[in-house]
Amino acid sequence: IRLEAADYLVKPLDPTQLIQLLGKLESVIADEFSARLEKQQLTTQLAQTLPVYLERLLYLWITNRLQPADWQELQRHFALRGRATALIAEISVNASSDHTEELKYVFGRMLAKNVEHSCDPIVFTPPEEKRQLIIILKWKQDADPAEALKRIRTMLPQLQALYGETIRIGEGSACDQVEAEGSRSYEKAKSMLENRFYLHEEIWFNEELLQTKLMKAVAKNNNTSVRKEAQALAEAVMEADPLKAADALDMLLDKLSAAFPGPFHLKCVVIQRLLSCLQPAETVMEEATYRSLISRLEEGIMRAELYADVRRIAHELLNVALRGMKTDRESRKDIIMQKCKVFLEENLHEDLGLDIVAQRFFYNPSYFSFLFKHHFGMSFTDYLVKSRMQKARSLLLQSEDKINEIARKVGYKDIKYFNKVFKKSFLCAPEEFRRMFNQP
């Protein structure tokens, strides 16, 4: 029993019983081996999944989404107490997937070695950002954070030389109680790193750098308003002057980006301003071509990774618009007049006048009047009256609308004046016209 005997045989020995017993023992041994193997596999799986699980808990904590019940589990593995600073390291967007993981691993090892006397770093990857590392630097009692951060910064060029990839760091705010303020430090690091959109030549982003750049940018762009720069660009587009338009666009973009607004906000504002300034191009370009241009503008700017890309795309598509406006002069006039005709037909109910329509198509009223008469063979006023009377005639014959309703639909608020104009055109009053020509 002490030797853990599995069974016994009595003499005289029966070979058949021996064979049966050996078969039984073989089955028991096989089961024990299978159980040990399964246990080893579970231990291996646990060793592989535990880091992933802990990284998940760390990420939930740093983003302020950790459940209270999981806090004790996290504290069993990490001493999250005392002074700390959060950093976010991001590998450049051009990094090859072949060595991204290796680079992250080497970075973590080098970082730990460089700050081992100052802090105990916790390094993990956020679930949705595989090119990033979140670093929690838990400072030791007598540590000098400024010196440690300087050592981390000096190792970045070495990594770039080894892998040919850039690592940029967003530095969060220092906190005295990391367990309560860690998420705030992380959010600060995240907002600092967003400035790579504007300052892509930098590798370390902190409050000091941002303030220095902001002061320079504001000092450079405090003389004019955004509205004034946008007006200058719109005028340059109307004149189809590429050099003037390029300069105006640069001034507008400098003004919009002076305070380093969030990338998404800046992109939306740039698109809005450019759409407004490019309105003159709509009047002289084919509708499909113009729509394609606007679509390229919106999609290109929203996909831009850097502010430099926003500038490049804006300039490229501005040039496309200006080239589109430099079509044959007569063809341009024909396009404009056709669009004007459609505009009038769709807006006969509105209070239309020469000045209003000329402004709609970005023309001086007197020149627009000359252009209109040359194209349609009659003055703007005569054409408008003719169009309104034709529309009134159709409504009288094809609808049961009352006369005052028809008058409003063709732009006449005064029913008496409408009757007068209609009678002058058709030699009878609207009601009489309906009785005469709308017979069942």
Side-chain angles (χ1 to χ4, degrees):
I1 291 174
R2 291 194 192 97
L3 295 175
E4 298 182 0
D7 209 329
Y8 68 94
L9 292 172
V10 295
K11 296 178 180 179
L13 186 63
D14 184 345
T16 302
Q17 289 181 330
L18 176 61
I19 291 173
Q20 290 176 348
L21 181 58
L22 291 176
K24 179 182 176 182
L25 293 176
E26 184 178 26
S27 177
V28 169
I29 292 171
D31 290 343
E32 290 178 351
F33 178 79
S34 177
R36 285 199 303 271
L37 182 61
E38 184 178 355
K39 184 178 180 180
Q40 289 175 354
Q41 290 174 340
L42 288 173
T43 302
T44 302
Q45 289 176 1
L46 180 61
Q48 293 173 345
T49 57
L50 181 60
V52 177
Y53 170 66
L54 293 177
E55 283 198 352
R56 179 65 181 172
L57 290 184
L58 283 167
Y59 183 69
L60 291 173
W61 163 69
I62 203 67
T63 56
N64 208 22
R65 292 182 289 170
L66 185 69
Q67 297 297 322
D70 294 323
W71 173 246
Q72 304 248 344
E73 176 69 14
L74 192 60
Q75 283 285 50
R76 282 201 317 110
H77 296 275
F78 304 100
L80 295 172
R81 294 185 181 88
R83 292 189 306 150
T85 301
L87 305 178
I88 300 177
E90 182 176 82
I91 301 172
S92 61
V93 294
N94 296 320
S96 169
S97 59
D98 293 339
H99 55 241
T100 298
E101 293 303 317
E102 177 188 337
L103 175 54
K104 286 160 60 177
Y105 174 78
V106 173
F107 173 83
R109 292 291 299 271
M110 288 182 66
L111 178 126
K113 184 178 180 181
N114 273 275
V115 300
E116 60 184 349
H117 300 299
S118 302
C119 69
D120 299 314
I122 300 173
V123 182
F124 60 98
T125 301
E128 70 274 16
E129 294 288 353
K130 297 304 180 183
R131 297 188 184 278
Q132 285 189 358
L133 287 173
I134 298 173
I135 304 141
I136 309 299
L137 301 173
K138 299 184 300 168
W139 303 114
K140 295 180 180 179
Q141 187 172 1
D142 299 325
D144 181 359
E147 180 61 29
L149 292 172
K150 182 178 179 181
R151 287 198 297 272
I152 297 173
R153 185 168 184 169
T154 57
M155 81 183 201
L156 298 181
Q158 182 181 352
L159 281 169
Q160 183 171 356
L162 283 172
Y163 288 93
E165 307 296 351
T166 302
I167 297 180
R168 294 184 171 87
I169 303 285
E171 178 186 338
S173 52
C175 55
D176 294 327
Q177 300 296 328
V178 66
E179 60 271 32
E181 304 172 23
S183 59
R184 178 176 60 82
S185 182
Y186 165 75
E187 288 299 329
K188 189 66 174 180
K190 191 175 178 181
S191 67
M192 288 295 104
L193 191 60
E194 283 185 350
N195 290 293
R196 71 196 181 287
F197 177 76
Y198 297 98
L199 309 172
H200 64 278
E201 72 282 358
E202 301 288 343
I203 60 172
W204 194 281
F205 300 89
N206 57 18
E207 196 69 47
E208 181 182 357
L209 170 72
L210 183 60
Q211 289 300 324
T212 301
K213 295 292 184 179
L214 274 174
M215 290 175 64
K216 291 181 179 179
V218 172
K220 180 182 176 182
N221 296 284
N222 63 355
N223 295 324
T224 57
S225 66
V226 170
R227 182 177 297 181
K228 184 175 180 181
E229 302 297 355
Q231 181 62 32
L233 176 58
E235 291 174 358
V237 172
M238 288 178 64
E239 297 170 10
D241 186 334
L243 295 178
K244 185 177 177 181
D247 290 342
L249 177 58
D250 281 334
M251 294 293 289
L252 176 61
L253 292 175
D254 286 345
K255 182 65 65 175
L256 292 174
S257 63
F260 295 170
F264 179 76
H265 175 73
L266 176 86
K267 291 175 184 180
C268 291
V269 173
V270 169
I271 290 172
Q272 178 189 11
R273 292 290 182 177
L274 287 178
L275 290 180
S276 176
C277 294
L278 288 174
Q279 281 185 346
E282 183 180 7
T283 64
V284 297
M285 296 176 70
E286 292 290 344
E287 183 175 355
T289 304
Y290 181 75
R291 293 300 168 199
S292 174
L293 172 68
I294 297 306
S295 177
R296 288 170 58 194
L297 175 70
E298 294 174 339
E299 293 175 5
I301 288 180
M302 292 308 295
R303 285 200 306 265
E305 294 286 342
L306 302 171
Y307 174 62
D309 296 329
V310 172
R311 295 187 77 103
R312 174 181 54 78
I313 293 167
H315 274 283
E316 287 177 359
L317 296 179
L318 175 64
N319 288 332
V320 171
L322 294 177
R323 286 197 299 270
M325 294 176 69
K326 287 187 175 182
T327 54
D328 179 74
R329 194 175 185 85
E330 292 304 318
S331 297
R332 254 173 57 187
K333 292 176 183 177
D334 289 342
I335 293 172
I336 292 172
M337 289 300 105
Q338 287 303 315
K339 290 188 176 183
C340 178
K341 179 180 179 181
V342 173
F343 176 76
L344 292 176
E345 290 173 352
E346 293 177 348
N347 295 276
L348 289 175
H349 59 285
E350 298 288 348
D351 183 15
L352 299 174
L354 178 64
D355 289 351
I356 294 173
V357 179
Q359 184 179 11
R360 167 69 176 76
F361 290 94
F362 305 98
Y363 272 98
N364 174 278
S366 59
Y367 180 69
F368 182 77
S369 176
F370 167 79
L371 191 64
F372 192 96
K373 187 171 183 178
H374 177 76
H375 185 85
F376 291 104
M378 65 180 72
S379 70
F380 174 84
T381 302
D382 290 344
Y383 183 89
L384 183 59
V385 170
K386 175 185 173 184
S387 299
R388 282 173 164 165
M389 292 301 103
Q390 289 177 342
K391 179 71 177 292
R393 172 186 173 277
S394 297
L395 291 173
L396 284 167
L397 298 179
Q398 299 173 12
S399 76
E400 297 181 359
D401 293 345
K402 296 180 180 180
I403 304 301
N404 60 343
E405 293 175 350
I406 293 175
R408 283 197 300 273
K409 287 183 177 181
V410 297
Y412 291 93
K413 298 179 182 179
D414 186 339
I415 184 65
K416 292 182 178 180
Y417 184 65
F418 168 71
N419 288 335
K420 179 180 177 181
V421 176
F422 189 91
K423 188 172 183 178
K424 182 178 179 182
S425 299
F426 294 98
L427 304 179
C428 61
E431 291 182 356
E432 184 182 356
F433 183 88
R434 172 176 271 174
R435 288 196 302 270
M436 291 172 57
F437 299 102
N438 196 20
Q439 298 296 327

